[in-house]
C-alpha cells in the first residue's frame, strides 16, 4: 500500500467556518478549493535509490550510485470526460568513482491511487543518466501521465452540499464535523485520487531505504 503525506492530509478532519464561500472547504482555518485533479506526490521511501558494487553488498564502501527524484511538476486538464494529469520530474544522481563515461538506466513508475490505498493504474518508464569521464554527478528528467474518470473524482451532489453547507452559530449541527459521518467520509475518500511518482525498486532496495 502506498502512503504519502498528501494521503495523510486528505484524511485530517475538516472544519467548516461560517465565512467559507460555496464550494470551499476549510481545514483548521485554511480554505481549500477541491478539484477533480489528483494530488501529485512522491511516496515515502520510493523517491531515491542506491546501487551497490558488488550488488549483494550493503556496506557503505560498496555504494556505487545514489539517485533521487526531485522537482516534481504537474499540469491538469479536467475539462473533459477524463481528468488528464501530466507530471514531469528531475532525477539527480551521484556516483562514487569519476573514472570513464558511464550510463545508468533507472526504472520509475507513475501510479494512480484512489482513496489512499486502492491502486487504479500503473505506468512504468525509464530514465538514462549519463556520467561524463571525470564527473561524479549527472541529471536527467522523466515524465508520466495519468487519466481518471471525471465522474469518479466528483463528489455526489448530496455529499458536496452536506460538506459545504454554511452553518450559523446556534445551529444544532454547527459544531459537528461532516466527516464524522462514515457515509460522507467514505464518499470523500472514493473521490480522492493521487498520482504517485517513484523509483521501481526491488524488494532489497525498498528494505534498504526503509531501514537505513
Amino acid at each position: 500500500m502506498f502512503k504519502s503525506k498528501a494521503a495523510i492530509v486528505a484524511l485530517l478532519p475538516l472544519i467548516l467556518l461560517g465565512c467559507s464561500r460555496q464550494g470551499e472547504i476549510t481545514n483548521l482555518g485554511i480554505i481549500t478549493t477541491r478539484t477533480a485533479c489528483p494530488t501529485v506526490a512522491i511516496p515515502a521511501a520510493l523517491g531515491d535509490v542506491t546501487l551497490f558494487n558488488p550488488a549483494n553488498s550493503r556496506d557503505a564502501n560498496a555504494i556505487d550510485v545514489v539517485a533521487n527524484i526531485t522537482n516534481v511538476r504537474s499540469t491538469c486538464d479536467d475539462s473533459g470526460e477524463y481528468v488528464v494529469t501530466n507530471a514531469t520530474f528531475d532525477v539527480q544522481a551521484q556516483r562514487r568513482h569519476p573514472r570513464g563515461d558511464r550510463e545508468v538506466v533507472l526504472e520509475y513508475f507513475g501510479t494512480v491511487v484512489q482513496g489512499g490505498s486502492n491502486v487504479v493504474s500503473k505506468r512504468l518508464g525509464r530514465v538514462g543518466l549519463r556520467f561524463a569521464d571525470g564527473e561524479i554527478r549527472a541529471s536527467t528528467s522523466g515524465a508520466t501521465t495519468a487519466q481518471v474518470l471525471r465522474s469518479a473524482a466528483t463528489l455526489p451532489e448530496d455529499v458536496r452540499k452536506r460538506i459545504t453547507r454554511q452553518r450559523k452559530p446556534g445551529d444544532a449541527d454547527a459544531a459537528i464535523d461532516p466527516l464524522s459521518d462514515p457515509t460522507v467520509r467514505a464518499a470523500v475518500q472514493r473521490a480522492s485520487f493521487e498520482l504517485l511518482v517513484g523509483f521501481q525498486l526491488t524488494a532489497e532496495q525498498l528494505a534498504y531505504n526503509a531501514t537505513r
Side-chain angles (χ1 to χ4, degrees), residues 7-188:
I8 296 173
V9 171
L11 297 179
L12 290 175
L14 301 179
I15 300 176
L16 296 177
L17 302 182
C19 61
S20 301
R21 294 183 289 274
Q22 186 173 0
E24 294 181 334
I25 301 174
T26 63
N27 183 7
L28 303 180
I30 301 174
I31 296 177
T32 303
T33 302
R34 188 183 187 282
T35 74
C37 295
T39 301
V40 180
I42 302 172
L46 295 175
D48 59 275
V49 60
T50 302
L51 306 182
F52 291 87
N53 186 17
N56 60 350
S57 174
R58 290 299 177 267
D59 189 87
N61 292 327
I63 293 177
D64 183 24
V65 177
V66 176
N68 67 285
I69 294 175
T70 186
N71 196 24
V72 178
R73 308 166 297 277
S74 66
T75 60
C76 178
D77 181 1
D78 61 352
S79 61
E81 179 183 4
Y82 285 88
V83 178
V84 180
T85 302
N86 295 304
T88 59
F89 55 89
D90 296 331
V91 178
Q92 299 177 348
Q94 182 172 330
R95 63 174 175 172
R96 185 178 185 86
H97 300 293
R99 296 186 300 274
D101 294 330
R102 182 182 177 188
E103 182 178 27
V104 175
V105 178
L106 300 174
E107 191 171 29
Y108 67 89
F109 66 83
T111 298
V112 177
V113 178
Q114 180 183 23
S117 61
N118 181 37
V119 176
V120 177
S121 64
K122 184 175 183 179
R123 292 172 179 253
L124 296 178
R126 291 185 175 186
V127 292
L129 292 153
R130 293 178 174 82
F131 294 92
D133 183 28
E135 298 292 333
I136 63 170
R137 291 182 175 84
S139 62
T140 188
S141 59
T144 189
T145 300
Q147 289 189 344
V148 174
L149 195 62
R150 181 180 176 84
S151 59
T154 303
L155 285 174
E157 186 65 16
D158 61 325
V159 173
R160 189 193 66 79
K161 288 182 177 180
R162 291 178 65 180
I163 293 176
T164 60
R165 182 176 67 84
Q166 294 187 4
R167 292 164 175 80
K168 299 178 181 179
D171 287 350
D173 61 350
I176 297 177
D177 178 5
L179 290 187
S180 63
D181 184 334
T183 302
V184 174
R185 189 180 182 88
V188 171

